[in-house]
Amino acid sequence: MESKIISPCISICRTDPVTGYCYGCARTNDEKRLWKDENTKDQWKQDNLKKILIRMQGWQLKTFKESYNHKKKNGISLFKKYLLENK
């Protein structure tokens, strides 16, 4: 049985018009669709996680890692947690 790989979405869903990458997770819209497809294999997801980490630099990489690690441990990204706490 394949393990559950957590989506890299950290709830900051805006696409950079120049690069086509999401500001939050650095995925393309096609990559986001593949993550949601139940037929997408875990190996592709693991490879995609590596690819998006390479795309990120500086503050984006630091904040992504912090929020993604929080999501893996707690089931919710830091940004989404903040939004819920400040409704």
Side-chain angles (χ1 to χ4, degrees), residues 66-78 81:
E66 185 179 356
S67 192
Y68 186 58
N69 286 334
H70 187 275
K71 181 178 178 180
K72 288 191 294 186
K73 289 179 188 168
N74 303 291
I76 188 171
S77 71
L78 286 175
K81 178 183 177 219

Side-chain angles (χ1 to χ4, degrees), residues 5-74:
I5 298 177
I6 304 297
S7 164
C9 177
I10 57 169
S11 304
I12 302 171
C13 304
R14 298 283 182 273
T15 301
D16 181 319
V18 176
T19 64
Y21 299 143
C22 176
Y23 289 124
C25 66
R27 293 181 295 168
T28 65
N29 287 334
D30 286 340
E31 290 168 336
K32 290 176 185 182
R33 278 192 282 280
L34 282 168
W35 271 89
K36 291 178 182 176
D37 185 336
E38 64 186 35
N39 296 314
T40 300
K41 302 286 184 204
D42 277 358
Q43 184 61 53
W44 182 90
K45 291 178 180 180
Q46 290 171 342
D47 292 343
N48 187 245
L49 276 170
K50 290 175 189 169
K51 188 181 290 186
I52 66 173
L53 287 171
I54 291 168
R55 288 179 190 156
M56 291 184 220
Q57 296 178 20
W59 65 267
Q60 184 188 26
L61 179 59
K62 183 178 183 280
T63 57
F64 171 80
K65 284 182 175 180
E66 185 179 356
S67 192
Y68 186 58
N69 286 334
H70 187 275
K71 181 178 178 180
K72 288 191 294 186
K73 289 179 188 168
N74 303 291

